Amino acid sequence: MKMLLCHITVANYARGVDFMMCLIVRHLMVSLGGARAGTDEIPDFVFLLHVVDVTSSLHNNMVSRSYASLAYRPTPVALLHWPIAFVIMLAMWAWSKTFVAYFYRLRGRLFQSWIVPRYGFQYFLPLAKDGINKQIEAAIPRADKMGVKVNEALNGGGTLFVAKHPGLRVRVVHGNTLTAAVILREIPEGTAEVFLTGATSKLGRAIALYLCRKRVRVMMLTASEERFQKIQEEAPPEAQQYLVRVTECQSAQHCKTWIAGKWLSPRDQLWAPAGTHFHQFVVPPILRFRRDCTYGKLAAMRLPDDVQGLGYTLGRGVVHACHAGGVVHFLEGYEGHEVGAIDVDRIDVVWEAAMRLGLRPA
């Protein structure tokens, strides 16, 4: 069975003038000339990813596999190369097409990562939305013809592309069911109350509905009464009272468990009491502003020990949870797409499958 995981996460980084010049040449070769990276072998699984931000593009597996295999840490050298990376970003925006970045092997299967030449901030620009969708949509038929199997994108978690291509043999999977599971497993047993931003997003909705079933009070930060009520109505009648709409961070000044699905400015974070832990699923991650609080990392998982050749920004053998969710979907042989709203009833099912396959929280 073959799969393409179409998602949007991650990037890579590098340092040093020699690395930077190699990166420029490599990007121009791939972006302008259409050169292909990796291998000519047909992959079983493809993960579509975007660059997180301009600085992150400096840490690149195509330039230095050894450096890219280590967890990324911002350095003064990387910041000095920011202007060059910015020019590359503009060139990729103007001319680049999706290209193969790197690959690895797991359980005898070939897994590839293809880069959608767009950066995280561009996903929030209305003028860039159509271009991003065209890049992702073009990758899906390409993978289908190759005999690959597929995963998520924009617009309803991939539903747009499934609707436009009803005859796909590939499967579109956003992988966010496992992302939700990882975030939920980070919350300590016995937690009675959480504060949730990005509460009406795809992940925020699933987290809120899961926690209210566990009788955890969820303060959902949202300006939309309509969207809040729609989610509240999805909860079992006896659990609806545990979903509470709030409109400002001040409402959580006594809550020590914050789940950030939307950017929190330093000013917002000041409302958190000392000792607060910030869980997060927002890209890029929030600034670690409070010294008297702790901050979680973006949801990630370590692939099984038999993975070969995987270097990643999160560390060797570690991938973002949405990527791992696609791996689980593929290895378990699930049929059908995983698109649209997250099925809350499948969160525990997918988590248990990941543990059975040898994946572990990172």
Side-chain angles (χ1 to χ4, degrees):
M1 180 175 58
K2 310 233 175 183
M3 166 180 281
L4 164 68
L5 172 62
C6 302
H7 203 279
I8 19 179
T9 65
V10 209
N12 300 329
Y13 305 69
R15 63 183 170 186
V17 176
D18 52 339
F19 284 174
M20 195 62 231
M21 295 310 296
C22 289
L23 179 60
I24 293 172
V25 173
R26 181 57 174 165
H27 272 309
L28 291 179
M29 286 177 61
V30 174
S31 303
L32 306 182
R36 294 186 61 186
T39 176
D40 290 331
E41 184 181 348
I42 296 175
D44 297 285
F45 173 104
V46 169
F47 179 60
L48 291 186
L49 60 113
H50 71 73
V51 186
V52 171
D53 54 37
V54 174
T55 305
S56 72
S57 67
L58 300 173
H59 182 78
N60 197 289
N61 189 67
M62 295 180 296
V63 177
S64 172
R65 291 178 62 85
S66 60
Y67 182 70
S69 69
L70 303 175
Y72 170 70
R73 291 185 300 106
T75 62
V77 174
L79 294 177
L80 288 174
H81 289 115
W82 191 92
I84 302 174
F86 183 78
V87 172
I88 294 174
M89 183 272 293
L90 294 177
M92 291 179 67
W93 194 354
W95 295 294
S96 183
K97 298 179 180 179
T98 301
F99 59 92
V100 180
Y102 49 86
F103 59 92
Y104 62 94
R105 294 184 183 276
L106 178 63
R107 307 286 160 87
R109 303 297 184 91
L110 176 64
F111 293 67
Q112 284 185 353
S113 290
W114 297 0
I115 288 183
V116 176
R118 295 296 183 267
Y119 291 60
F121 75 90
Q122 293 171 327
Y123 283 80
F124 299 96
L125 300 178
L127 59 87
K129 184 176 180 179
D130 288 343
I132 293 171
N133 283 337
K134 288 179 181 178
Q135 291 275 353
I136 297 172
E137 187 174 0
I140 292 176
R142 173 184 168 193
D144 194 36
K145 292 178 182 178
M146 293 171 63
V148 182
K149 191 184 176 181
V150 193
N151 274 35
E152 119 126 268
L154 289 178
N155 296 319
T159 53
L160 170 70
F161 307 116
V162 171
K164 291 185 70 173
H165 302 279
L168 285 174
R169 295 169 298 170
V170 297
R171 292 294 177 262
V172 179
V173 180
H174 54 53
N176 282 321
T177 306
L178 185 57
T179 301
V182 172
I183 295 168
L184 289 164
R185 289 314 187 282
E186 292 177 353
I187 300 173
E189 289 286 341
T191 298
E193 183 179 58
V194 302
F195 174 61
L196 176 64
T197 72
T200 60
S201 66
K202 180 170 54 184
L203 273 166
R205 165 195 162 274
I207 291 169
L209 289 173
Y210 185 97
L211 289 175
C212 76
R213 293 181 181 185
K214 302 293 184 181
R215 305 298 188 266
V216 176
R217 185 172 185 266
V218 183
M219 290 184 285
M220 300 174 62
L221 180 67
T222 176
S224 174
E225 175 69 26
E226 181 181 357
R227 295 182 70 179
F228 167 75
Q229 288 184 352
K230 185 177 179 180
I231 294 174
Q232 189 179 46
E233 289 170 1
E234 289 188 70
E238 67 277 8
Q240 291 181 2
Q241 62 180 309
Y242 293 96
L243 297 180
V244 180
R245 174 175 172 256
V246 298
T247 58
E248 55 186 17
C249 293
Q250 184 177 356
S251 301
Q253 59 184 311
H254 302 298
C255 179
K256 291 190 176 182
T257 302
W258 286 38
I259 306 174
K262 190 175 181 180
W263 179 258
L264 285 171
S265 68
R267 183 177 181 179
D268 293 333
Q269 294 179 39
L270 285 174
W271 289 110
T276 293
H277 183 77
F278 292 92
H279 305 270
Q280 54 184 319
F281 57 94
V282 58
V283 178
I286 60 177
L287 296 175
R288 295 172 177 259
F289 175 71
R290 294 281 300 275
R291 292 188 176 183
D292 58 347
C293 297
T294 55
Y295 294 78
K297 299 178 181 178
L298 292 178
M301 297 204 75
R302 185 174 300 279
L303 294 182
D305 293 338
D306 55 328
V307 64
Q308 298 177 339
L310 176 63
Y312 221 64
T313 55
L314 302 179
R316 189 178 295 276
V318 179
V319 298
H320 283 81
C322 53
H323 186 158
V327 173
V328 171
H329 192 286
F330 171 63
L331 294 179
E332 283 290 284
Y334 293 148
E335 294 296 334
H337 304 289
E338 182 188 327
V339 297
I342 296 171
D343 184 349
V344 179
D345 292 329
R346 287 195 57 78
I347 291 176
D348 289 336
V349 173
V350 173
W351 174 262
E352 291 166 6
M355 297 298 99
R356 186 168 59 251
L357 290 167
L359 284 79
R360 294 291 180 268

